[in-house]
Amino acid sequence: MTADEAVRWTTAVLLLAATLYSACRAVAASGAAGRVGLALHSLMMAAMALMFLPRGQWPLLPQVLLFVLGSWWFVVQAVSYRTRPRDGPPVRGRAVAGKHVGDRPVAGRAKPLYDAAAMAAMAFMLAAGDLGAVPQSEARLLPVAPAHHGAAAAGPLTARLPGWGDQLSLVPAAAFGLAVFFGLATVAWTLRLLLQLWPRTGGTSVAAALCSRGGALRGARWPRCRVIADTAVEIVAAGALALMLAALAA
C-alpha cells in the first residue's frame, strides 16, 4: 500500500488497536443490530490492517462478498423504519423541533449510509486491487483456440478483449474520488473529536472532567469516554481507507 515502512506499520498498529476495541464493543453490545454493525467494523479494520502487513492478505472472494453484504446491511439499517443504535434498543419518538422525521432521527440515517459507503469502498478496493495486479498488456488479451487437424493458426494465439482497457482506466479515477471522500471524512471526524475535547466553561476540558473523580460528569464518565473512543476509531478507519485508496489511484 505504501513504501514507507513507518507509515505502514503505524497504520497497521492503529488499525489492530481499533479492531480490538470494536470487537470488545461488539461483545458488550446489548442489541443484535449493534453487535452485527460493530462486528462488521471490526472485520473491516482487521482486513485493512492485514493489507499493511507482509503476507497478511485474506482470501479475496470471501472478503468481497462479506463487504458487499455488509454494505447492503447498513443500507437496510439506514432506510429501516426505526433507529437502532449500535449497542442499544430501537429509538422511537415523534418529530420534535425538526430532529425526528417519521419516528427516526435525521442524523441516524447518515451514519449507516456512511458505514455502507465504507464497506462498498472496501469491496471495490479489493476487487480493483486484484484486477490491477494483472498487467494491462496481459489483461487485454484472450486466448484463441488453435486451428484443428494440425493446420496452421490463421492469427496470433491471443486477441484483444474489447473495452477491457477502458474499464481498467476507470479504476484510478474512482479510487481517487473515494480517497478524497474518505480524506474529507477523516477531517470531519477529527474536527468532531476536537470539539468533544474542547475546553468547556471554566477552562476544563471534557477529558479532564471525565478523569476527575469529583467532576460534574462523573456519572457519565464511561459513556462520554466511549463516544470519544468511537470517534477516534472512525478517524483511524477513514484515514486508512483514504490512504489505501490514494495508493490504488496512484
Side-chain angles (χ1 to χ4, degrees):
M1 286 299 171
T2 176
D4 194 321
E5 291 288 330
V7 173
R8 189 157 59 101
W9 282 100
T10 300
T11 307
V13 170
L14 290 174
L15 284 168
L16 288 174
T19 299
L20 180 61
Y21 172 80
S22 295
C24 292
R25 290 270 281 114
V27 172
S30 58
R35 285 193 292 269
V36 172
L38 286 164
L40 286 172
H41 274 274
S42 179
L43 289 171
M44 183 183 74
M45 288 182 291
M48 285 193 290
L50 290 178
M51 290 181 188
F52 284 94
L53 298 177
R55 299 178 182 179
Q57 182 72 20
W58 287 346
L60 176 67
L61 184 58
Q63 288 187 87
V64 173
L65 292 177
L66 171 66
F67 295 125
V68 168
L69 290 175
S71 179
W72 171 82
W73 188 87
F74 279 117
V75 169
V76 170
Q77 291 293 304
V79 301
S80 61
Y81 180 73
R82 296 180 299 176
T83 297
R84 184 180 293 273
R86 286 188 184 178
D87 57 351
V91 177
R92 303 172 183 266
R94 298 292 180 183
V96 177
K99 295 182 180 179
H100 291 69
V101 176
D103 293 346
R104 183 182 180 88
V106 175
R109 296 181 185 272
K111 185 58 172 65
L113 288 176
Y114 171 79
D115 293 334
M119 293 284 162
M122 276 294 296
F124 164 79
M125 183 169 54
L126 289 165
D130 185 70
L131 184 66
V134 181
Q136 292 192 19
S137 59
E138 298 178 8
R140 294 177 183 174
L141 303 177
L142 279 180
V144 177
H148 294 287
H149 306 295
L157 294 180
T158 56
R160 291 188 180 277
L161 178 62
W164 187 264
D166 296 336
Q167 294 176 13
L168 287 176
S169 64
L170 295 177
V171 170
F176 177 78
L178 289 171
V180 171
F181 173 79
F182 285 103
L184 294 175
T186 304
V187 174
W189 285 115
T190 303
L191 290 176
R192 182 174 180 176
L193 180 63
L194 292 177
L195 289 175
Q196 291 170 349
L197 299 176
W198 194 260
R200 301 295 178 89
T201 304
T204 303
S205 66
V206 174
L210 293 175
C211 295
S212 175
R213 293 186 178 182
L217 298 177
R218 180 177 56 184
R221 187 186 309 167
W222 165 239
R224 295 274 184 164
C225 286
R226 187 175 60 189
V227 169
I228 293 173
D230 287 346
T231 307
V233 167
E234 296 290 355
I235 294 172
V236 172
L241 273 174
L243 178 63
M244 297 165 77
L245 287 164
L248 181 62

